[in-house]
């Protein structure tokens, strides 16, 4: 084995020694040759489930930046919005078929294949936050359940990872106030995944629509209330133009995360370090995405109130308790499927242990906020 510490064969010392001997230019050209002969970058075609203007496309762009920089340009990502190749709800099939190499989406968008998809995004709320459930995915066995569902149960040629844990989703947008369960009876309401089953059980008529179709559906009367996810996305697609009452706090989708899915053949054909960059780039983007979300979601919530006349409410305790009761019934129904039951059993065990620590350890942040900013909270 050659020891460069004694022979001095580092690039810098080689060039320096060459300069002394009058051949620095020759040495530089030899060492530069691999860059000249390097292959063109691998281009990965990645479609999202979001309109080009949505803040979630900004989140996807942060992932692209990190992957391309960490790979030294060996990987390039052709990032496309919803509809560029396939519809927002068709991205999983497109990745499986190799029509696209990867997607940035949410598991609930392919929940029609198996209701267990919702367990990785919009499942029962046992008391854990989105961060709690992201911990379950990476440290509590969730990743193996995801692999089993996608590859073994459904036979999909994909590999997937979970990204940014989303803040709990608002109950959503209503034309008038809704304070009781009776107030929401018969509403034509947009949501997705198991949340559709949940709210239908509470007396709503549910339509599952991609984000880009929500406002047109509201304008045509196809729906008369809706949720999507957050103040920034909602404001960008014009929620404030079709409703003025915005209800924060809900159990219908309280623990979701973004999903990054890759065609298995494409991923496994890459060099191991590039596979690792794609995988751990998901973790890196989760941090940057959450920081951006906190800045933009809070800014847009304030501007919806100040500039657009939106009235912000907290969902009533009566409706929240009714959601938990509906979850109880839905969980019982879901447990009839053996795979569903073992996933929910795993989640319950994780939440009972982890959320106990989280909740017992958490100080009353509302008390501190009220101390420094009195009168703003309406809890």
């Amino acid at each position: 084995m050659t020891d460069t510490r004694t022979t001095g064969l580092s690039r810098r010392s080689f060039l320096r020694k060459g300069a002394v001997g009058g051949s620095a230019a020759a040495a530089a050209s030899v060492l530069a040759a691999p860059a000249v002969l390097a292959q063109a970058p691998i281009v990965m075609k990645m479609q999202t489930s979001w309109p080009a203007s949505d803040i979630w496309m900004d989140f996807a762009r942060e992932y692209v930046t990190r992957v391309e920089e960490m790979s030294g340009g060996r990987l390039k990502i052709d990032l496309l919005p919803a509809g560029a190749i396939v519809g927002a709800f068709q991205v999983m099939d497109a990745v499986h078929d190799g029509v696209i190499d990867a997607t940035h989406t949410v598991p609930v968008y392919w929940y029609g294949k198996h209701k267990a998809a919702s367990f990785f995004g919009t499942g029962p709320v046992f008391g854990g936050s989105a961060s709690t459930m992201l911990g379950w995915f990476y440290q509590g066995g969730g990743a193996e359940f995801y692999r089993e569902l996608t590859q073994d149960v459904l036979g999909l040629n994909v590999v997937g990872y979970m990204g940014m844990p989303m803040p709990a989703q608002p109950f959503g947008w209503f034309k008038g106030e809704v304070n009781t369960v009776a107030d929401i009876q018969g509403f034509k309401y947009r949501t997705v995944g198991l949340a559709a089953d949940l709210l239908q059980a509470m007396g709503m008529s549910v339509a599952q629509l991609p984000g880009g179709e929500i406002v047109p559906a509201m304008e045509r009367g196809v729906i008369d209330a809706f949720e999507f996810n957050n103040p920034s996305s909602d404001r960008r697609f014009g929620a404030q133009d079709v409703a003025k009452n915005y209800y924060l706090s809900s159990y219908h989708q309280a623990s979701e995360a973004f999903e990054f899915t890759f065609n298995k053949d494409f991923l496994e054909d890459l060099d191991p370090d590039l596979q690792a960059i794609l995988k751990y780039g998901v973790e890196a983007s989760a941090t940057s995405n959450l920081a951006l979300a906190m800045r933009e979601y809070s800014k847009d919530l304030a501007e919806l109130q100040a500039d657009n006349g939106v009235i912000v409410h907290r969902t009533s305790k009566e409706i929240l308790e009714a959601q938990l009761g509906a979850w109880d019934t839905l969980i019982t129904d879901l447990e009839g499927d053996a795979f569903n039951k073992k996933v929910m059993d795993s989640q319950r065990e994780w939440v009972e242990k982890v959320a106990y620590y989280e909740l017992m350890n958490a100080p009353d942040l509302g008390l501190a906020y009220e101390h420094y900013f009195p009168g703003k909270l309406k809890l």
Side-chain angles (χ1 to χ4, degrees):
M1 180 181 293
T2 303
D3 189 343
T4 59
R5 290 174 298 179
T6 57
T7 61
L9 291 180
S10 69
R11 183 178 189 275
R12 181 175 297 173
S13 64
F14 183 65
L15 288 174
R16 185 171 61 248
K17 290 177 183 295
V20 172
S23 58
S29 66
V30 169
L31 287 172
V36 174
L37 299 175
Q39 294 179 342
I42 297 167
V43 178
M44 183 176 81
K45 191 175 296 294
M46 182 178 198
Q47 187 193 301
T48 76
S49 292
W50 331 123
S53 60
D54 195 277
I55 189 172
W56 288 359
M57 279 296 286
D58 296 336
F59 293 166
R61 292 180 189 106
E62 290 192 331
Y63 177 74
V64 169
T65 297
R66 280 150 183 76
V67 166
E68 292 185 349
E69 289 186 8
M70 288 189 290
S71 70
R74 292 162 60 205
L75 271 175
K76 295 289 184 183
I77 299 179
D78 182 13
L79 183 67
L80 303 166
I85 297 177
V86 296
F89 286 2
Q90 281 74 55
V91 288
M92 176 62 91
D93 285 335
V95 172
H96 165 72
D97 292 334
V99 174
I100 54 178
D101 303 311
T103 182
H104 182 271
T105 186
V106 285
V108 71
Y109 278 12
W110 50 274
Y111 133 107
K113 295 181 180 297
H114 197 296
K115 290 192 175 183
S118 269
F119 297 146
F120 303 94
T122 59
V125 180
F126 298 117
S129 67
S131 295
T132 308
M133 300 317 295
L134 187 65
W136 170 77
F137 183 85
Y138 283 108
Q139 296 293 332
E144 175 53 28
F145 284 125
Y146 178 92
R147 187 211 61 76
E148 182 180 352
L149 175 63
T150 54
Q151 296 182 12
D152 297 345
V153 176
L154 296 175
L156 296 172
N157 189 38
V158 301
V159 175
Y161 309 107
M162 294 297 133
M164 176 192 125
M166 300 180 191
Q169 297 183 27
F171 191 36
W173 295 83
F174 298 81
K175 293 179 180 179
E177 290 191 19
V178 290
N179 297 310
T180 69
V181 175
D183 290 339
I184 63 174
Q185 297 303 297
F187 272 45
K188 294 176 289 185
Y189 180 84
R190 180 273 177 196
T191 190
V192 290
L194 284 177
D197 297 359
L198 181 83
L199 296 172
Q200 194 159 299
M202 291 177 62
M204 289 180 155
S205 173
V206 176
Q208 302 200 44
L209 301 170
E213 297 180 18
I214 293 174
V215 167
M218 192 81 166
E219 290 171 334
R220 297 195 310 271
V222 175
I223 57 174
D224 47 33
F226 62 91
E227 62 79 38
F228 180 67
N229 186 275
N230 65 83
S232 296
S233 293
D234 293 352
R235 190 178 188 213
R236 290 190 189 191
F237 67 58
Q240 68 277 7
D241 297 329
V242 292
K244 294 297 184 184
N245 289 276
Y246 191 26
Y247 282 81
L248 304 185
S249 176
S250 182
Y251 290 127
H252 76 286
Q253 289 179 272
S255 57
E256 193 167 11
F258 286 111
E259 176 187 39
F260 291 76
T261 308
F262 303 88
N263 178 274
K264 190 169 183 285
D265 295 333
F266 172 84
L267 187 69
E268 293 179 351
D269 280 346
L270 297 175
D271 290 339
D273 65 321
L274 295 182
Q275 293 183 42
I277 287 169
L278 289 176
K279 177 180 179 179
Y280 296 117
V282 173
E283 295 181 7
S285 69
T287 302
S288 63
N289 287 174
L290 191 56
L292 179 59
M294 291 300 95
R295 187 187 77 186
E296 293 299 300
Y297 291 3
S298 58
K299 176 184 71 68
D300 283 314
L301 181 63
E303 292 178 357
L304 282 167
Q305 293 172 282
D307 301 341
N308 302 115
V310 171
I311 304 168
V312 174
H313 311 265
R314 274 184 62 88
T315 303
S316 71
K317 186 176 181 181
E318 177 181 329
I319 291 176
L320 292 174
E321 288 178 340
Q323 287 180 346
L324 291 177
W327 270 124
D328 290 342
T329 301
L330 186 53
I331 288 167
T332 300
D333 293 341
L334 290 167
E335 285 179 333
D337 178 277
F339 182 80
N340 290 347
K341 186 177 188 311
K342 70 178 181 179
V343 174
M344 286 190 291
D345 285 347
S346 173
Q347 291 181 331
R348 260 188 294 249
E349 180 183 359
W350 176 265
V351 171
E352 183 179 12
K353 177 177 61 178
V354 174
Y356 174 79
Y357 161 72
E358 291 180 313
L359 295 169
M360 287 293 288
N361 186 57
D364 187 340
L365 298 178
L367 181 64
Y369 189 93
E370 180 67 21
H371 178 79
Y372 291 103
F373 312 104
K376 291 194 69 175
L377 289 179
K378 299 177 182 178
L379 299 179

